[in-house]
Amino acid sequence: MEDLPVNTNHPAVRDYLALIRLQVLTPLSLLINVASVAVCAFLVHPSLGGVSRLYPTSISPNPPMVAIYIIAIYVGQIGYCVLLVTARKPETKKALIQGSGLSLVLANWIMALWAISWVLQWFILSSVLLGLLVLLLLYSNIVLLVYHPPTSSRPFDTALIHAPMRLFLILPLMLTLSQSIFIAVGHYWLPNCPLCYDRYEWEGFGVIFSLNFLGLLIIAIRRDIVWCAGAVWVCASVWRETPKSGPVQATVITFTALHIVVLVLSIIYAEVKGRREGPIALPPDDDEEVQRVRARE
């Protein structure tokens, strides 16, 4: 590198090289992720959904709905890869390099490994991988929100960087990590026991309530449409998989509606508050006040 005719220590050159690396590594990691999940979903027995139904828990989701959610994540990442190549604004390039960057590459590799560990029924390894996935995606989402926040002047950044990263985080954080841990610690029942669905119901209730309440706060504070859509789909995937115990079923149905209601109310509140505050009236100058007093006299 020292023999190159350019100064590789210059920040602009380093950012350019980092962007080139991401343009190669990100599509490659996405391809590995898609291939691994597709093989484990269609060519292996039991498949990803089959393992989920072999080990039913109090929070087990509906596999077809989870599959649709994962396809949405892949579609968002395809748009992300296109933006990697077509980005021109320096703010967008910084968000790609410093915000998501290698975190997304590593997350794709971890998800590919998780799919293999899941179909092999190595649930402790699956839980560890999902925990690492949550940490990686949580870190990159916090960096994006703090240092590269979404703005209306760059809608493609919001749609192709922030939205895919947030959707990717919601699934393991709100569902698959907890499900894997439940199975790893033995809190499941046999699939041929239709009357066992009320086992561990209060543990499932606690997990569902706490994670969805956290999501509700995020939606209320940030008016986050992406989080609302992801959380609603996750809740729907849980109550669509039957049978479910009463506390869990009631909780996920309630939060399915609450996420939407809180989002609408928070948007209305922000609009009303903005109209009430309006433009700030400045106090009159001293000369104007003197002229008004003389006019009254």
Side-chain angles (χ1 to χ4, degrees), residues 26-37:
T26 305
L28 178 62
S29 68
L30 176 59
L31 183 62
I32 298 287
N33 187 352
V34 172
S36 176
V37 171

Side-chain angles (χ1 to χ4, degrees), residues 152-167:
S152 57
S153 61
R154 299 195 305 276
F156 287 107
D157 291 18
T158 303
L160 300 179
I161 301 177
H162 291 267
M165 295 297 293
R166 216 163 304 158
L167 282 177

Side-chain angles (χ1 to χ4, degrees), residues 5-283:
V6 294
N7 182 14
T8 55
N9 293 322
H10 192 278
V13 177
R14 294 168 68 179
D15 287 347
Y16 175 78
L17 294 175
L19 186 61
I20 294 296
R21 283 194 295 268
L22 290 177
Q23 290 172 353
V24 176
L25 295 176
T26 305
L28 178 62
S29 68
L30 176 59
L31 183 62
I32 298 287
N33 187 352
V34 172
S36 176
V37 171
V39 169
C40 294
F42 300 109
L43 301 180
V44 178
H45 182 77
S47 62
L48 291 172
V51 172
S52 180
R53 283 175 169 161
L54 278 176
Y55 297 88
T57 68
S58 57
I59 59 172
S60 292
N62 181 258
M65 294 192 68
V66 175
I68 294 172
Y69 190 101
I70 293 175
I71 291 173
I73 294 174
Y74 290 155
V75 171
Q77 285 201 48
I78 292 172
Y80 177 94
C81 293
V82 172
L83 187 63
L84 269 174
V85 179
T86 60
R88 294 293 178 267
K89 295 182 179 180
E91 297 86 358
T92 301
K93 293 180 180 180
K94 286 183 179 179
L96 290 167
I97 296 169
Q98 302 172 5
S100 49
L102 290 175
S103 296
L104 181 58
V105 175
L106 295 174
N108 278 325
W109 278 97
I110 289 175
M111 185 169 177
L113 294 174
W114 164 80
I116 297 171
S117 67
W118 183 259
V119 296
L120 292 176
Q121 303 175 32
W122 296 344
F123 297 114
I124 295 178
L125 177 60
S126 166
S127 303
V128 172
L129 291 173
L130 287 172
L132 292 175
L133 182 62
V134 168
L135 290 177
L136 271 175
L137 293 173
L138 188 62
Y139 167 78
S140 58
N141 274 277
I142 291 174
V143 171
L144 282 172
L145 289 176
V146 174
Y147 299 104
H148 313 280
T151 61
S152 57
S153 61
R154 299 195 305 276
F156 287 107
D157 291 18
T158 303
L160 300 179
I161 301 177
H162 291 267
M165 295 297 293
R166 216 163 304 158
L167 282 177
F168 203 172
L169 170 65
I170 292 170
L171 183 62
L173 176 64
M174 296 190 65
L175 182 60
T176 54
L177 175 58
S178 301
Q179 181 191 10
S180 181
I181 292 174
F182 273 33
I183 299 175
V185 299
H187 289 189
Y188 61 91
W189 56 86
L190 297 177
N192 56 1
C193 181
L195 299 179
C196 300
Y197 62 88
D198 57 349
R199 292 183 180 179
Y200 316 111
E201 59 179 1
W202 292 111
E203 294 177 7
F205 165 80
V207 169
I208 292 293
F209 181 86
S210 57
L211 293 176
N212 279 278
F213 185 76
L214 173 64
L216 205 65
L217 292 178
I218 294 173
I219 294 169
I221 295 171
R222 295 193 47 81
R223 302 186 297 278
D224 198 320
I225 298 175
V226 176
W227 198 286
C228 178
V232 166
W233 193 268
V234 168
C235 286
S237 70
V238 174
W239 58 256
R240 281 282 296 173
E241 186 70 5
T242 55
K244 283 286 188 300
S245 64
V248 174
Q249 189 80 340
T251 304
V252 288
I253 292 176
T254 302
F255 274 107
T256 302
L258 274 180
H259 289 313
I260 301 173
V261 171
V262 168
L263 175 65
V264 173
L265 290 178
S266 62
I267 293 174
I268 294 174
Y269 174 77
E271 290 292 330
V272 172
K273 184 180 179 182
R275 290 180 182 179
R276 283 184 177 179
E277 291 178 353
I280 300 175
L282 298 175

